[in-house]
Amino acid sequence: QLRNQMQEIKSDLSTKQKRRQAIQQRLMATEKKIGRQSKELKKLDRSLATQRQRIRAARIQQGLNRNSLTSQRHTMEQQIRSAYAIGRQDRVKLILNQQDPAVAGRLLVYHDYFNRSRVQLLDLIQDTLNKLQQAEREMTAEEKRTAELQARKQREKSKLEQSRSG
């Protein structure tokens, strides 16, 4: 009877040791998963911070471009006022009223050159603003996606920690 009891105790002890080893292996696997999740969360945090910095830089650049656009519009307004003040004549009258045809030609060339330059500059600024707005929309979408991924990873980490403590 004593041998049977000893055998039962040995069997019970062996079963408990096997269970303990299995639990330890699961715990180690859970710890590794938590470690990987933590690394991933840190990586996502860095990525999110970088994206936020890019968005701030894009907004600053956008503000600078808007200021530049305002300045260019002001310059164009001044040019228009100057042209109006100098003469209210159209191009044909300007040419016909000049005593020296060379002067009239130069005035027309200068006038055309400055107008083309202004239009090109305004087109360039508008194109830059459009690109910056598109980049900002893309970065905002990426930031949102990263934040959602980070929240999901945080939930997974919490579940793993609960399973470790439970």
Side-chain angles (χ1 to χ4, degrees), residues 27 43 56 59 86 96 104 106 111-112 123 149 158:
L27 182 60
K43 182 179 173 183
R56 280 191 297 274
R59 287 187 177 139
I86 289 173
L96 294 175
R106 277 196 309 270
H111 187 270
D112 288 343
D123 288 344
L149 185 59
S158 295

Side-chain angles (χ1 to χ4, degrees), residues 1-21:
Q1 190 179 11
L2 189 57
R3 282 186 192 158
N4 285 340
Q5 284 180 344
M6 284 177 54
Q7 190 62 30
E8 285 177 20
I9 291 172
K10 282 182 183 180
S11 175
D12 188 40
L13 184 59
S14 175
T15 304
K16 287 181 180 179
Q17 284 178 341
K18 287 178 185 177
R19 251 191 286 158
R20 182 176 177 227
Q21 287 175 347

Side-chain angles (χ1 to χ4, degrees), residues 4-121:
N4 285 340
Q5 284 180 344
M6 284 177 54
Q7 190 62 30
E8 285 177 20
I9 291 172
K10 282 182 183 180
S11 175
D12 188 40
L13 184 59
S14 175
T15 304
K16 287 181 180 179
Q17 284 178 341
K18 287 178 185 177
R19 251 191 286 158
R20 182 176 177 227
Q21 287 175 347
I23 290 171
Q24 282 179 333
Q25 287 176 348
R26 281 190 306 216
L27 182 60
M28 287 176 58
T30 302
E31 289 289 338
K32 286 181 183 178
K33 285 180 186 178
I34 290 172
R36 285 193 301 268
Q37 294 296 331
S38 294
K39 276 179 156 178
E40 186 67 24
L41 283 172
K42 286 178 185 175
K43 182 179 173 183
L44 287 170
D45 286 339
R46 287 189 301 270
S47 175
L48 192 58
T50 300
Q51 288 172 336
R52 286 181 178 147
Q53 187 175 6
R54 286 179 186 162
I55 288 171
R56 280 191 297 274
R59 287 187 177 139
I60 289 169
Q61 185 62 43
Q62 187 178 31
L64 292 173
N65 282 328
R66 282 188 178 146
N67 290 341
S68 178
L69 181 62
T70 301
S71 172
Q72 293 301 322
R73 283 180 179 164
H74 180 68
T75 302
M76 184 174 280
E77 288 171 4
Q78 288 177 338
Q79 273 189 346
I80 291 170
R81 279 191 204 109
S82 296
Y84 183 77
I86 289 173
R88 296 181 180 117
Q89 304 145 355
D90 61 10
R91 292 169 56 115
V92 176
K93 285 184 181 178
L94 183 65
I95 292 172
L96 294 175
N97 287 340
Q98 291 298 318
Q99 298 288 332
D100 186 2
V103 171
R106 277 196 309 270
L107 285 174
L108 289 175
V109 169
Y110 291 149
H111 187 270
D112 288 343
Y113 172 76
F114 286 122
N115 282 338
R116 277 195 309 267
S117 174
R118 281 295 158 228
V119 168
Q120 288 173 348
L121 188 55

Side-chain angles (χ1 to χ4, degrees), residues 125-162:
I125 291 171
Q126 186 61 45
D127 184 51
T128 302
L129 281 172
N130 291 339
K131 287 178 183 177
L132 286 171
Q133 289 169 350
Q134 177 63 28
E136 184 177 346
R137 283 191 297 271
E138 290 172 5
M139 283 188 268
T140 301
E142 185 65 23
E143 182 181 35
K144 182 180 177 185
R145 187 191 67 78
T146 303
E148 289 169 356
L149 185 59
Q150 183 178 3
R152 191 183 93 220
K153 293 289 183 182
Q154 187 64 43
R155 287 190 302 270
E156 289 176 14
K157 181 180 175 188
S158 295
K159 286 180 190 176
L160 290 172
E161 287 174 349
Q162 285 176 355

